[in-house]
């Protein structure tokens, strides 16, 4: 199920700098969330397993079942929206998992995704948005007035944007000593610019759901490209500093505006 992955020198250097203990494995099968038995197989390659658990009071009553499982005592590795490269601190040492879906991904961008995982591990940010919003997650749920899956998508996007405000500072430093990774980071941002710029129009015309637009805009934050309103308010030092409180206030104001 898990095969150790060799890292090219620039990526190995990022791991040594930001997450020197992290183990990296290719996964035999694709997954959104690893089945419990397969997740527990990580105990064969890691020293110990420490499932994340959160109070049930942090979840709205209609929270998706997978989110409830993640908050519970089951070892839950990988959640919707995690992408092709997943990291976890529920193992000791931390583990980075590469899904088979990366096949066909341009090598420079794959190297960036791996390096990004090590940077995020080094930031010591929560592993999931539930650890970011904590007991304020029901407040976000009330603010966005979406179905449970829509709330989940917005929450995951907002958390991704908050992490991106921090990780992009590291990425921007790579131009001097790791130009291949810097170029991949910048190229990915360039590919998003036109799509992000057109989000307000797409939402207004009903061509894009607001949750999808939020996901795209927040994913762009780590690439340091200009965001249109109302997402530009998330690309601020205030969001980085005040985190979940700022995100919820942004959601309240934004959805009030949409309702009008």
């Amino acid at each position: 199920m898990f095969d150790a992955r060799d890292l090219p020198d620039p990526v190995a250097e990022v791991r040594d700098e930001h997450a020197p203990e992290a183990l990296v494995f290719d996964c035999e099968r694709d997954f959104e969330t690893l089945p419990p038995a397969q997740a527990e197989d990580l105990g064969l390659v890691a020293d110990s397993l420490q499932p994340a658990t959160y109070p049930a009071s942090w979840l709205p009553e209609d929270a998706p079942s997978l989110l409830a499982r993640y908050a519970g005592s089951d070892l839950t590795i990988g959640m919707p929206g995690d992408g092709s490269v997943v990291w976890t601190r529920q193992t000791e040492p931390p583990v980075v998992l590469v899904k088979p879906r990366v096949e066909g991904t341009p090598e420079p961008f794959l190297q960036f995704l791996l390096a990004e995982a090590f940077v995020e591990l080094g930031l010591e940010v929560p592993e999931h948005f539930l650890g970011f919003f904590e007991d304020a997650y029901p407040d976000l749920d009330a603010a966005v007035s979406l179905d449970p899956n829509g709330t989940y998508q917005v929450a995951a996007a907002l958390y991704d944007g908050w992490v991106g405000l921090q990780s992009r500072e590291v990425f921007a430093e790579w131009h001097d000593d790791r130009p291949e990774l810097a170029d991949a980071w910048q190229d990915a941002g360039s590919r998003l610019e036109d799509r992000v710029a057109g989000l307000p129009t797409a939402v207004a015309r009903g061509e894009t759901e607001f949750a999808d637009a939020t996901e795209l805009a927040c994913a762009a934050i780590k690439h340091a490209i200009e965001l249109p309103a109302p997402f530009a308010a998330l690309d601020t030092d205030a969001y980085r500093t005040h985190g979940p409180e700022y995100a919820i206030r942004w959601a309240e104001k934004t959805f009030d505006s949409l309702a009008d």
Side-chain angles (χ1 to χ4, degrees):
M1 178 64 183
F2 305 109
D3 295 321
R5 184 183 185 92
D6 293 329
L7 300 175
D9 288 344
V11 179
E13 290 170 2
V14 175
R15 178 179 62 178
D16 292 345
E17 181 176 347
H18 295 276
E21 296 182 350
L23 305 176
V24 187
F25 298 100
D26 287 324
C27 298
E28 182 181 24
R29 296 189 183 95
D30 231 330
F31 65 91
E32 185 171 63
T33 299
L34 281 177
Q38 293 176 1
E40 290 174 2
D41 282 347
L42 284 171
L44 301 175
V45 295
D47 295 336
S48 63
L49 305 177
Q50 301 171 332
T53 58
Y54 300 99
S57 61
W58 289 8
L59 300 179
E61 291 184 2
D62 60 353
S65 59
L66 193 55
L67 184 58
R69 177 179 141 192
Y70 177 78
S73 59
D74 290 344
L75 179 65
T76 306
I77 306 294
M79 291 289 282
D82 280 351
S84 301
V85 176
V86 175
W87 57 263
T88 182
R89 289 198 204 89
Q90 296 179 80
T91 59
E92 180 60 42
V95 163
V96 174
L97 301 177
V98 183
K99 302 177 185 180
R101 72 179 68 169
V102 301
E103 185 176 355
T105 299
E107 186 62 26
F109 186 61
L110 176 55
Q111 290 189 27
F112 166 73
L113 292 178
L114 287 163
E116 179 186 27
F118 300 132
V119 170
E120 291 182 355
L121 278 168
L123 292 173
E124 297 187 355
V125 294
E127 185 168 324
H128 186 265
F129 74 70
L130 195 55
F132 171 65
F133 285 102
E134 297 185 339
D135 60 354
Y137 184 56
D139 296 331
L140 178 71
D141 180 53
V144 300
S145 301
L146 295 172
D147 63 56
N149 290 330
T151 300
Y152 182 104
Q153 186 177 2
V154 169
L158 290 170
Y159 167 70
D160 186 41
W162 179 75
V163 174
L165 289 171
Q166 301 168 69
S167 61
R168 72 184 187 187
E169 294 184 359
V170 179
F171 304 155
E173 295 172 353
W174 288 344
H175 286 290
D176 293 331
D177 55 353
R178 299 184 181 103
E180 304 95 333
L181 293 176
D183 288 347
W185 166 63
Q186 199 160 26
D187 180 65
S190 297
R191 294 173 185 273
L192 288 175
E193 283 183 317
D194 288 344
R195 293 176 62 198
V196 170
L199 282 177
T201 300
V203 171
R205 291 176 176 174
E207 298 168 354
T208 300
E209 295 292 333
F210 190 81
D212 293 332
T214 305
E215 182 176 351
L216 180 59
C218 288
I221 289 177
K222 67 186 172 193
H223 295 287
I225 65 176
E226 186 175 352
L227 302 182
F231 307 106
L234 297 170
D235 190 1
T236 61
D237 289 337
Y239 185 30
R240 175 173 177 171
T241 300
H242 297 288
E245 297 88 353
Y246 188 98
I248 292 167
R249 182 58 183 148
W250 175 85
E252 290 172 342
K253 294 177 66 176
T254 300
F255 276 81
D256 284 348
S257 176
L258 290 173
D260 293 341

